[in-house]
Amino acid sequence: MSETAELVAVLRAAGETTRLRLLALLADGEQSVKDLTEILGQSQPRVSRHLKLLADAGLVRRNAEGAWAYYGLADEGAGSDLARWLVGRLGEADPERQRDRLRLAAVRAAQQAQAAASFAKVADSWDLLRSLHVAEEAVEVAILGAVDGRPIDTLIDLGTGTGRMLELLAGHYRRGVGIDSSREMIAVARSKLAAAGIGHAQVRLGDIADLEPATGRGELIVIHQVLHYFDDPGRLLGQARQALRPGGEMLIVDFAPHGLEFLRTHHAHRRLGLSEAQMAGWARAAGLSVAAFSSFPPTNATEGLTVCLWRLRDDPRDQH
Ligand SMILES: C[S@@+](CC[C@H](N)C(=O)[O-])C[C@H]1O[C@@H](n2cnc3c(N)ncnc32)[C@H](O)[C@@H]1O
């Protein structure tokens, strides 16, 4: 194909109302086809066809994950530049864009409510659940190793659940802050920390996808088994970085890619694990770099999940 023909094909792909709406939605973060279908109010085959055209033209990228597929704006190349330019031209105040954003917020709110209901049910038994078939003990040893000898004034634990990370690392920080959106989890965390005599950590109800400025900043941010509940973990990393002091570090613990679809259908997971390549891309976009990576195979090799630990360092070249 000549360059002219190629350019015409790309412009054709972008030059359609639904496809422009899709580009604008993807500019706000990675989305699943399932959610995009709901937001646009069109049939799934139709939305998939639009997305395929955008992907073939290099404007978006596709990432298949179990029975779902996630889309985002292309990361590089002429298609990426054009997609971002078009979305910029669309502007924030465009009425159609605002309507789509409201629909996206409603879809996310419904998912959050479902996730919160599922966390409320397991709050009391979470500490038992969290250690099932995963090498939790080895992961905790590695987490302790990662913080050893580092002066940490403030540690922020995002999605603190029952506060296990605040408890594990209690000897390493001056002040600990745990945030979680589940009242039930927060209640368990509070009483557990009190029982353990950990008075220098506090837990608060809050949405980590929309961190309050009052959260402050920490030298260390922990996100332990939380990112897979988000459609766009990269976006959350960007948010979390706002709460990181310059030169600080994030410890991310999550599952390696897996195929256990029931975790999505029955346990509110959104992503079936996170790959090293995905994390490297999300970290870069958030102004962080991967300083270390380790993985821990399941204790029961036939049915468990591999757990990964990433140490992400604030990139001082990327200004806060
Ligand atoms: C699987 S638990 C992990 C808890 C803890 N980090 C641990 O590993 O024991 C995930 C936690 O993330 C919390 N969570 C999910 N979405 C959240 C959000 N948007 N804001 C705050 N917390 C959230 C849930 O309420 C839940 O307690």
Side-chain angles (χ1 to χ4, degrees), residues 10-69:
V10 174
L11 291 172
R12 278 217 180 99
E16 198 274 338
T17 311
T18 301
R19 294 199 284 275
L20 266 182
R21 285 169 69 194
L22 280 167
L23 290 179
L25 278 163
L26 297 178
D28 287 338
E30 284 182 26
Q31 320 282 356
S32 66
V33 180
K34 191 169 169 289
D35 291 350
L36 289 169
T37 301
E38 208 172 321
I39 295 162
L40 294 175
Q42 299 184 10
S43 72
Q44 199 243 296
R46 204 165 160 176
V47 173
S48 292
R49 196 175 59 82
H50 283 305
L51 287 165
K52 182 172 183 322
L53 281 171
L54 292 170
D56 289 347
L59 293 158
V60 305
R61 65 177 154 71
R62 180 179 191 273
N63 168 35
E65 210 185 87
W68 290 10

Side-chain angles (χ1 to χ4, degrees), residues 112 115-116 119 126-127 130 136 157-165 179-182 185 206-209 223-226 228-230 236 269:
Q112 286 245 341
F119 288 124
W126 173 247
D127 280 353
R130 67 199 284 286
E136 199 51 43
D157 184 24
L158 298 179
T160 194
T162 54
R164 172 65 190 149
M165 290 298 115
I179 298 172
D180 203 284
S181 55
S182 158
M185 286 286 190
D207 180 4
I208 60 172
I223 310 181
H224 186 276
Q225 296 293 15
V226 177
H228 58 252
Y229 293 102
F230 289 81
L236 193 83
H269 289 208

Side-chain angles (χ1 to χ4, degrees), residues 20-231:
L20 266 182
R21 285 169 69 194
L22 280 167
L23 290 179
L25 278 163
L26 297 178
D28 287 338
E30 284 182 26
Q31 320 282 356
S32 66
V33 180
K34 191 169 169 289
D35 291 350
L36 289 169
T37 301
E38 208 172 321
I39 295 162
L40 294 175
Q42 299 184 10
S43 72
Q44 199 243 296
R46 204 165 160 176
V47 173
S48 292
R49 196 175 59 82
H50 283 305
L51 287 165
K52 182 172 183 322
L53 281 171
L54 292 170
D56 289 347
L59 293 158
V60 305
R61 65 177 154 71
R62 180 179 191 273
N63 168 35
E65 210 185 87
W68 290 10
Y70 276 87
Y71 282 85
L73 288 190
D75 297 312
E76 49 196 24
S80 164
D81 295 343
L82 179 63
R84 282 162 221 280
W85 182 83
L86 287 168
V87 174
R89 282 298 311 253
L90 213 48
E92 299 289 325
D94 179 74
E96 191 127 42
R97 186 170 191 191
Q98 286 191 347
R99 269 198 300 277
D100 284 346
R101 274 194 171 149
L102 284 177
R103 287 193 201 110
L104 170 62
V107 166
R108 290 281 177 270
Q111 286 160 359
Q112 286 245 341
Q114 202 188 352
S118 118
F119 288 124
K121 269 192 256 156
V122 299
D124 284 331
S125 52
W126 173 247
D127 280 353
L128 177 68
L129 269 178
R130 67 199 284 286
S131 58
L132 281 185
H133 307 312
V134 296
E136 199 51 43
E137 218 174 295
V139 174
E140 293 196 349
V141 168
I143 291 174
L144 283 167
V147 303
D148 202 25
R150 283 172 54 92
I152 302 169
D153 183 75
T154 301
L155 176 146
I156 301 177
D157 184 24
L158 298 179
T160 194
T162 54
R164 172 65 190 149
M165 290 298 115
L166 292 172
E167 188 186 7
L168 178 74
L169 298 171
H172 295 264
Y173 56 81
R174 186 188 67 78
R175 176 176 163 262
V177 180
I179 298 172
D180 203 284
S181 55
S182 158
R183 280 180 201 284
E184 290 77 6
M185 286 286 190
I186 288 286
V188 175
R190 245 184 220 125
S191 60
K192 247 183 61 181
L193 291 170
I198 300 169
H200 59 303
Q202 49 166 299
V203 286
R204 298 183 197 153
L205 196 63
D207 180 4
I208 60 172
D210 188 16
L211 277 180
E212 289 181 20
T215 308
R217 284 181 167 202
E219 288 78 20
L220 182 69
I221 292 184
V222 180
I223 310 181
H224 186 276
Q225 296 293 15
V226 177
L227 281 184
H228 58 252
Y229 293 102
F230 289 81
D231 285 278

